[in-house]
Amino acid sequence: MEEDSKITDIPKIVPEEDSLEETSDKAEEQEPDALHTVTTRLKEIVNIDLFLPDIHAWILEKIRRGPTLIIGENIGKIAEKMTDHVPRVIARETGSSYVSPKVEVKDERTLSKIDLKVFDLEKLKTQQGPFLNIIVIFALKRLEKAVQQELLQECKRVLAKEGQLIVVGEFYPKSALLYPISLTKEVVKTFKSKVLKKKVNRPIVNFEKIANNLELKFFDVKYDAGGRIRTYVLTKRWGALLT
């Protein structure tokens, strides 16, 4: 007797109505989730403050115990945290909203370890060093190119041979996908500058060239917000941070 060579059809599994509805619901849920992710990402890229806790933590991990100078905008929080790592901190505030040390640092005991005053480049030129740590946070954006170089020159002057200069700033993004955001911001800034006659802060350009002119050595760099925020670690000589 010959075997039946015909292969029977494989039955198709038809999902139940409940399963179809559940799959449809999941697809609908994924669309808002994707939109939320993109929206959150854009907010993170635009809002610098969201990156500050991570940047501060990264800097604190690198701090060497010794004399420390901080120059920048809204530096009360990092100056306060710095006192857990170094005995005393000299802090110079560049922010226009600065009022007094007690407004930025609430704890009296911590405040006694911080010399917090308004930043003045001319007074910085009389500052004695050396400092093992010098941290410049969003201070360069308020200055003209020539003054940026002058400030970094003074930082180099008071920087110890084994010290580190950490510079945090806003730059043009490395990713081409972020150019539209930067372009939109530049259009708004140009309008404020040309039409409203307001002073605006622009991203830093040619920072590497300035550092090279001052013969500063690049040791490390941290990129945030697609490279729009960068934290550079520089030294006066090669191998300074390897000892």
Side-chain angles (χ1 to χ4, degrees), residues 91-102:
R92 297 294 179 259
E93 174 64 52
T94 63
S96 58
S97 61
Y98 173 78
V99 179
S100 73
K102 291 184 179 180

Side-chain angles (χ1 to χ4, degrees), residues 4-13:
D4 187 0
S5 60
K6 185 178 180 180
I7 301 175
T8 58
D9 292 336
I10 299 175
K12 296 181 179 179
I13 301 175

Side-chain angles (χ1 to χ4, degrees), residues 71-93:
I71 301 171
E73 189 175 88
N74 301 322
I75 56 175
K77 289 183 179 179
I78 189 170
E80 193 170 356
K81 293 176 181 177
M82 198 69 67
T83 58
D84 293 332
H85 300 264
V86 299
R88 185 166 175 77
V89 177
I90 294 179
R92 297 294 179 259
E93 174 64 52

Side-chain angles (χ1 to χ4, degrees), residues 26 55 57 62 71-72 75 87 92 101 136 142 147 165 178 186 189 192 194 213 216 231 236:
K26 285 183 179 180
I55 292 172
K62 294 182 174 295
I71 301 171
I75 56 175
R92 297 294 179 259
V136 179
R142 294 182 176 276
V147 185
L165 169 60
L178 302 180
E186 287 304 300
K189 288 180 179 180
K192 289 182 178 179
K194 301 294 184 181
N213 288 341
L216 289 166
T231 305
K236 293 175 78 168

Side-chain angles (χ1 to χ4, degrees), residues 79-146:
E80 193 170 356
K81 293 176 181 177
M82 198 69 67
T83 58
D84 293 332
H85 300 264
V86 299
R88 185 166 175 77
V89 177
I90 294 179
R92 297 294 179 259
E93 174 64 52
T94 63
S96 58
S97 61
Y98 173 78
V99 179
S100 73
K102 291 184 179 180
V103 173
E104 291 210 46
V105 183
K106 305 297 183 182
D107 184 72
E108 290 289 339
R109 184 177 178 182
T110 302
L111 187 59
S112 66
K113 300 178 182 179
I114 304 173
D115 176 11
L116 180 57
K117 297 176 182 176
V118 176
F119 170 74
D120 186 320
L121 182 56
E122 293 305 313
K123 290 184 179 179
L124 179 63
K125 292 178 181 179
T126 65
Q127 179 68 56
Q128 299 299 310
F131 291 96
L132 205 56
N133 309 291
I134 299 179
I135 305 160
V136 179
I137 303 180
F138 296 118
L140 298 181
K141 66 180 181 179
R142 294 182 176 276
L143 307 175
E144 299 295 332
K145 290 181 183 178

Side-chain angles (χ1 to χ4, degrees), residues 18 90 175:
D18 291 344
I90 294 179
S175 173

